[in-house]
Amino acid sequence: MDAFRKIDIDQYDEDRLDASELYEADPRDPAAVLDEAKQRQAAVRSTLARSDIPGALAIVLENAPYGPNVDDAKDVTLQTLLSILNSTKSTEITPAIKALTPDAQDTLMKYLYKGMALPGWGDISGSVLLGWHEKLTEVAGVGCIVRTMTDRRIV
Amino acid sequence: MAPQVFQLAQTPVTSHAFSADRNQVCVSFNNNEAQILARRGNEWAVTDTLTEHDKIITSIDWAPNSNRIVTASQDRNAYVWEQKPDPETGALAWKPTLVLLRINRAATHVRWSPKEDKFAVASGARAIAICSFDEENNWWVAKQLKKPIRSTVLSVDWHPNNVLLAAGSADLKARVFSAYIKEVDEKPAPTVWGSKLPFNTICGEYSSPSGGWVHTVGFSPSGDILAFAGHDSTINVVYPSGPAVYSVRIPSLPLVSLTWTSENSIVAAGHDCRPLVFSGSEQGWQESGTLDDAKSSSSSGSGFGGAGTPGNADVRGQSGSGSTSSDTKLTTLHQNTITEVRPYEIVGGEVAKVSTSGVDGMLVIWDANEISALTSKLGGARLG
């Protein structure tokens, strides 16, 4: 293909709509977001030690990092979440999901899709993610999946 | 009363608008023609075909008092149709008048203002054309609302004061504009949306937390509340003086059209194939059920196959699905996406009946007060 076909013509459009204009940016400093993610990781560990799955999920899914410049915090959060998902017995999944707020359910769905897009990353297990996906869809409906697709606050 | 179901065609009904007496309906079957159908008992017969557009008609509105039809199309034009006697035979025929929209993208949605002296045309040109009649030249001229629209405008709705206009757009925003035209409008009284209202004043800008194109907007009957629904499967209700925005998540597929039935209730429908009812007040809003009680669907004998049915099990992430390939009928009455929901009958200031048109070629008239609880959260997308 000729080089000119690879030019991003949108950059010359004065009226272009950038992705960053489509959502409200996180006002927090990236370093603070990373600190918070690490604190949550510790909090989740101690909550998991008490086998409190709903509590652990609520901690990690609240104020989840989104947007640019917080990739490290996103990785820590995904790791933390995976540690919860992988250690939950299948019979405990549905009650844990039902205990979440609708906001947290939507965020959980975002992470399930993020995990499925990163095969082989960390301790991702496809079958665990699909198991959670099935149960979450039963509780929150396909609307929850639709919101994962439309929400620009990508985790 | 059970819903009245009319299978108008086997092709999508993109838009529908009833005449004031409800004995005629103007529809477009996903092509460049609008057809006027007259009711004969339980059937609808074509009486006129409006041919002037050369691309798909996207939206139709029928003004109840002046009996004028306006059509908008992907060909970037709108026409106003009036019934006039033919100079030779004297028979009444629908004649088009050109509208100078001055847009370079498709017209997507059109609505007459309450006084029927203006209409608004939404478009893909990041603009809304506010059209009024120019007596001197015998055509309709447009003044454009442009700022701060960043993408295609998908829907518009007029405030009862004939001046304010709500618009939903693909830039994820619902906005309230002033569409005040000096030559047409008297100075409007102050409302909750503002008091000084020159043309293109932005009286409010709202979006849903989870984003999504705003497919549909609507003012409440008083004009004091705004509702909008978008592609994130939410419906949002705005109290501007609150200031509160209630966002109701729905478990099913996105809504694309809504209509208020009273100050406290909304009927909305879309990709889930059935009309949902939402109710609330300044204290909060929630889903209160559906007009489709799922029994009605079994009585309608149409074997029209619902597109989008096969594969729903995959969409829902179900590992085991019991549906067979021959079982393609949805449990809802509409067998595909509902394209538009509109008020049909008003009793004592409240909408008693609503009409819906769908991609399945159906036109359905529903009793707005026959609300049944949702049995399955997934509607059109059935449990396997």
Side-chain angles (χ1 to χ4, degrees):
Chain A
M1 197 194 280
D2 293 329
F4 79 91
R5 292 203 180 274
K6 293 177 185 165
I7 295 172
D8 172 17
I9 57 158
D10 289 339
Q11 65 179 309
Y12 301 109
D13 181 359
E14 286 175 11
D15 295 328
R16 71 178 179 277
L17 188 55
D18 290 326
S20 59
E21 297 174 58
L22 294 173
Y23 61 91
E24 281 181 30
D26 192 336
R28 295 174 294 177
D29 179 63
V33 175
L34 181 59
D35 279 349
E36 206 182 311
K38 284 180 176 161
Q39 281 167 24
R40 283 210 187 116
Q41 191 169 34
V44 164
R45 263 191 215 121
S46 62
T47 316
L48 274 187
R50 298 194 307 270
S51 315
D52 179 6
I53 304 286
L57 277 178
I59 292 170
V60 73
L61 294 173
E62 197 191 342
N63 273 328
Y66 67 87
N69 309 323
V70 289
D71 288 349
D72 292 340
K74 287 181 180 181
D75 285 350
V76 171
T77 310
L78 178 59
Q79 227 161 28
T80 313
L81 184 73
L82 286 170
S83 71
I84 306 172
L85 301 188
N86 290 338
S87 60
T88 307
K89 292 194 204 81
S90 65
T91 50
E92 291 172 352
I93 294 178
T94 302
I97 290 170
K98 283 186 176 158
L100 295 173
T101 63
D103 255 332
Q105 288 174 349
D106 284 1
T107 310
L108 176 58
M109 188 61 92
K110 288 189 200 173
Y111 276 104
L112 295 181
Y113 277 95
K114 182 188 173 90
M116 287 190 260
L118 296 167
W121 189 91
D123 23 327
I124 283 178
S125 148
S127 62
V128 169
L129 293 181
L130 283 171
W132 277 84
H133 184 271
E134 179 184 345
K135 303 267 167 46
L136 179 54
T137 309
E138 273 167 18
V139 174
V142 287
C144 185
I145 302 174
V146 172
R147 283 185 287 279
T148 297
M149 291 193 282
T150 58
D151 200 335
R152 301 292 180 137
R153 296 170 300 180
I154 294 162
V155 295
Chain B
M1 201 184 79
Q4 302 176 58
V5 184
F6 307 100
Q7 183 77 50
L8 298 183
Q10 299 295 324
T11 48
V13 180
T14 38
S15 182
H16 77 280
F18 280 95
S19 62
D21 62 7
R22 303 296 188 249
N23 285 327
Q24 294 180 90
V25 64
C26 186
V27 292
S28 180
F29 295 115
N30 207 27
N31 59 20
N32 62 333
E33 293 174 350
Q35 264 155 350
I36 294 177
L37 314 180
R39 189 162 181 171
R40 313 246 190 278
N42 276 329
E43 300 287 319
W44 291 90
V46 178
T47 56
D48 287 284
T49 302
L50 311 182
T51 52
E52 197 69 32
H53 287 290
D54 45 64
K55 285 200 169 66
I56 284 174
I57 290 176
T58 49
S59 185
I60 302 170
D61 200 23
W62 198 325
N65 298 316
S66 54
N67 197 36
R68 288 185 298 215
I69 295 171
V70 60
T71 52
S73 157
Q74 290 178 0
D75 66 9
R76 312 186 304 273
N77 282 318
Y79 291 101
V80 174
W81 303 81
E82 277 175 277
Q83 236 175 354
K84 288 177 182 161
D86 189 282
E88 284 166 25
T89 62
L92 283 175
W94 290 95
K95 297 287 180 202
T97 313
L98 180 68
V99 183
L100 297 178
L101 286 181
R102 296 183 294 114
I103 54 174
N104 56 5
R105 294 287 187 279
T108 53
H109 198 240
V110 63
R111 283 292 177 264
W112 284 104
S113 72
K115 285 186 184 160
E116 304 176 13
D117 50 2
K118 298 189 290 188
F119 58 88
V121 183
S123 83
R126 302 172 177 179
I128 304 161
I130 307 298
C131 307
S132 54
F133 193 65
D134 174 7
E135 301 275 356
E136 231 167 85
N137 292 304
N138 191 35
W139 59 24
W140 292 80
V141 290
K143 212 172 157 186
Q144 292 188 348
L145 291 170
K146 277 189 169 167
K147 280 184 178 159
I149 303 165
R150 303 297 302 276
S151 187
T152 299
V153 182
L154 298 166
S155 64
V156 289
D157 191 53
W158 287 94
H159 187 278
N161 75 357
N162 210 56
V163 168
L164 294 171
L165 184 80
S169 161
D171 59 12
L172 322 185
K173 296 279 198 302
R175 298 186 178 89
V176 176
F177 292 99
S178 165
Y180 176 78
I181 303 282
K182 203 168 56 210
E183 294 76 16
V184 178
D185 288 308
E186 291 164 27
K187 274 228 153 64
T191 69
V192 289
W193 303 97
S195 45
K196 282 199 81 181
L197 300 167
F199 187 76
N200 211 158
T201 305
I202 298 134
C203 305
E205 189 177 82
Y206 310 94
S207 62
S208 166
S210 39
W213 292 11
V214 178
H215 286 299
T216 176
V217 288
F219 280 112
S220 70
S222 70
D224 291 347
I225 319 168
L226 177 75
F228 66 93
H231 207 73
D232 58 340
S233 284
T234 63
I235 182 165
N236 303 271
V237 183
V238 180
Y239 289 86
S241 42
V245 181
Y246 294 110
S247 184
V248 182
R249 287 178 171 81
I250 60 167
S252 48
L253 296 174
L255 303 165
V256 299
S257 183
L258 70 83
T259 189
W260 288 76
T261 49
S262 73
E263 280 301 295
N264 303 96
S265 61
I266 297 169
V267 175
H271 295 291
D272 192 41
C273 311
R274 59 182 174 182
L276 299 179
V277 183
F278 298 88
S279 58
S281 64
E282 275 159 329
Q283 272 73 49
W285 278 75
Q286 62 283 317
E287 182 185 275
S288 56
T290 174
L291 301 181
D292 192 338
D293 64 2
K295 276 183 296 194
S296 42
S297 58
S298 52
S299 61
S300 79
S302 147
F304 197 78
T309 314
N312 270 334
D314 297 342
V315 171
R316 290 184 45 241
Q318 288 287 73
S319 49
S321 164
S323 70
T324 58
S325 57
S326 63
D327 183 18
T328 53
K329 197 163 186 307
L330 302 185
T331 55
T332 52
L333 201 158
H334 270 291
Q335 292 295 299
N336 208 323
T337 295
I338 293 173
T339 51
E340 204 169 31
V341 47
R342 308 195 68 161
Y344 179 81
E345 189 180 300
I346 294 169
V347 177
E350 298 200 352
V351 176
K353 287 180 184 171
V354 296
S355 58
T356 56
S357 56
V359 175
D360 54 2
M362 278 192 220
L363 179 72
V364 182
I365 299 164
W366 311 80
D367 189 327
N369 298 311
E370 288 210 357
I371 304 163
S372 38
L374 284 175
T375 46
S376 147
K377 282 193 162 185
L378 300 167
R382 297 160 303 168
L383 292 162

